[in-house]
């Protein structure tokens, strides 16, 4: 189960991870974008971390929603509104919940992915964060449906996201800045799919 304390711990660990991987993410974005993905996320999660004292008396849904709103308002670029929407939608799916387990997590994750698709007008296969997140969602659904606990299921989701990320090297970007490069985006892994994998890894490690 993920409660208020655990959720805050996870968000703190996400902020740390993003800060630690800032240069790597920025380097990836330099290759096929404008070189700000790491900077964008580090700024956003640092702002979330600053808000965390006010999360102490909030339920999981409210924490996620506030996180999303903070990301939207502090992160420039495409990834801010997209990750922000994802956290806000996840928060709405967990509205009023003091703690969440596997079933609720899956509903929140699915709402987040649907939110990204809607906001980004995007689908899997366009070399974006969705190419890590959609396989992860399928793996979560399958593992939880088969009776796995959340930690186990997240382990499968991480594996699936990793495969999806590797696959982004073999496809041409048709959404986001990288799409301006057309075929020249081949051979490069997508920065957003990379950060999505990192965030999932943090979640799994924290449970
Ligand atoms: P920007 O592209 O505005 O500089 P970032 O560099 O922070 O923003 O984020 C780039 C990442 O955002 C990409 O690697 C990709 O994964 C993701 N992205 C961009 N556009 C979309 C979209 N329409 N749908 C889903 N993800 C997208
Ligand atoms: Mg960028």
């Amino acid at each position: 189960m993920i409660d208020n304390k655990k959720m805050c711990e996870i968000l703190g660990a996400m902020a740390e991870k993003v800060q630690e991987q800032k240069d790597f993410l920025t380097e990836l974005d330099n290759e096929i974008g404008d070189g700000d993905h790491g900077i964008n996320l580090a700024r956003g999660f640092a702002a979330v971390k600053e808000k965390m004292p006010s999360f102490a008396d909030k339920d999981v849904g409210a924490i996620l929603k506030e996180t999303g709103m903070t990301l939207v308002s502090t992160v420039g670029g495409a990834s801010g509104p997209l990750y922000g929407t994802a956290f806000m939608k996840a928060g709405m799916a967990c509205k009023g919940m003091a703690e969440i387990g596997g079933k609720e997590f899956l509903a929140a994750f699915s709402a987040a992915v649907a939110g990204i698709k809607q906001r980004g007008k995007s689908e899997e296969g366009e070399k974006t964060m969705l190419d890590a997140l959609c396989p992860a969602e399928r793996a979560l659904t399958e593992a939880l449906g088969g009776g796995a606990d959340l930690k186990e299921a997240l382990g499968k989701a991480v594996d699936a996201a990793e495969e999806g990320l590797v696959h982004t090297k073999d496809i041409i970007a048709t959404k986001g800045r990288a799409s301006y490069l057309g075929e020249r985006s081949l051979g490069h892994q997508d920065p957003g799919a990379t950060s999505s994998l990192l965030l999932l890894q943090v979640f799994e490690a924290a449970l």
Side-chain angles (χ1 to χ4, degrees):
M1 286 298 214
I2 300 169
D3 59 8
N4 167 305
K5 195 164 152 267
K6 195 69 182 175
M7 199 62 240
C8 288
E9 186 189 312
I10 290 167
L11 289 170
M14 283 181 172
E16 228 169 85
K17 175 67 94 183
V18 163
Q19 182 57 40
E20 177 196 300
Q21 300 291 324
K22 181 174 147 184
D23 292 344
F24 173 54
L25 291 171
T26 288
E27 218 170 278
L28 292 174
D29 195 33
N30 247 331
E31 289 172 18
I32 57 169
D34 58 353
D36 62 357
H37 190 54
I39 297 164
N40 285 342
L41 286 190
R43 186 195 302 120
F45 277 94
V48 170
K49 212 171 160 185
E50 264 175 41
K51 284 250 166 97
M52 275 174 52
S54 74
F55 292 175
D57 57 354
K58 287 190 161 66
D59 61 57
V60 174
I63 292 173
L64 287 168
K65 199 170 154 208
E66 187 71 29
T67 296
M69 282 164 36
T70 305
L71 291 177
V72 169
S73 63
T74 56
V75 181
S79 63
L82 292 168
Y83 275 127
T85 300
F87 278 93
M88 287 193 288
K89 293 283 183 187
M92 286 181 238
C94 300
K95 195 171 176 181
M97 296 181 189
E99 54 178 23
I100 62 170
K103 195 167 142 255
E104 296 77 20
F105 182 87
L106 177 58
F109 195 83
S110 296
V113 172
I116 293 172
K117 285 181 177 169
Q118 191 186 27
R119 178 90 202 213
K121 298 184 176 58
S122 42
E123 285 294 333
E124 191 177 0
E126 298 180 309
K127 199 182 180 100
T128 70
M129 54 179 71
L130 288 172
D131 291 306
L133 295 172
C134 292
E137 182 189 356
R138 284 193 294 277
L140 265 180
T141 306
E142 191 184 316
L144 290 167
D149 67 21
L150 183 53
K151 169 120 181 143
E152 250 178 284
L154 270 168
K156 304 274 189 207
V158 165
D159 292 345
E162 210 158 3
E163 263 181 54
L165 170 61
V166 171
H167 181 60
T168 63
K169 289 188 187 178
D170 302 328
I171 53 181
I172 294 173
T174 54
K175 281 278 148 59
R177 277 177 204 282
S179 66
Y180 308 151
L181 291 181
E183 280 194 6
R184 279 182 294 141
S185 67
L186 278 176
H188 300 281
Q189 81 186 51
D190 179 61
T194 309
S195 57
S196 288
L197 170 65
L198 291 172
L199 296 180
L200 268 171
Q201 284 172 333
V202 169
F203 232 116
E204 196 250 343
L207 292 183

